[in-house]
Amino acid sequence: MSSRAIPYTHWAYFPDRASAERCALDLGDYVTRIREPDEYPKWLLLAGRDVGVGGMVQRHREVKAIVTRHGGDYDGGEAGLLEGDPTLPGREES
């Protein structure tokens, strides 16, 4: 298992802001951002942090379980600094 860590952002959609906020709190040490519905009819929660490459599958399972528990739809994630990545400096929560 690799111990190398990379920045990684998980994406999840929620029917309302309150459920997205509760999920963000439950994600603990993730940097989170919540965005109002724009091109999708649901609230977007971005949750990012550095993740060990060898632990990606387990991390996906953990985050998906937390998102589901709060009524959200988990949409996977992406590695690296991407447009909308909550770990980018200067990003403000909606």
Side-chain angles (χ1 to χ4, degrees):
M1 185 182 315
S2 173
S3 61
R4 184 173 68 96
I6 60 170
Y8 197 86
T9 301
H10 298 272
W11 298 66
Y13 295 93
F14 291 85
D16 55 64
R17 185 179 182 107
S19 57
E21 289 173 344
R22 286 190 299 273
C23 183
L25 287 173
D26 207 10
L27 286 168
D29 63 348
Y30 280 85
V31 174
T32 60
R33 297 291 182 261
I34 297 171
R35 298 228 175 118
E36 292 183 46
D38 187 11
E39 56 187 272
Y40 300 101
K42 295 187 176 188
W43 290 80
L44 171 63
L45 169 65
L46 300 170
R49 73 176 225 190
D50 287 348
V51 176
V53 173
M56 288 281 199
V57 173
Q58 181 60 28
R59 185 64 58 205
H60 271 267
R61 288 182 188 137
E62 291 170 0
V63 173
K64 183 177 182 179
I66 293 169
V67 167
T68 302
R69 186 167 56 240
H70 290 281
D73 297 317
Y74 183 66
D75 196 22
E78 295 184 276
L81 296 176
L82 55 115
E83 177 62 31
D85 190 320
T87 60
L88 286 172
R91 286 287 183 185
E92 297 297 322
E93 183 174 351
S94 308

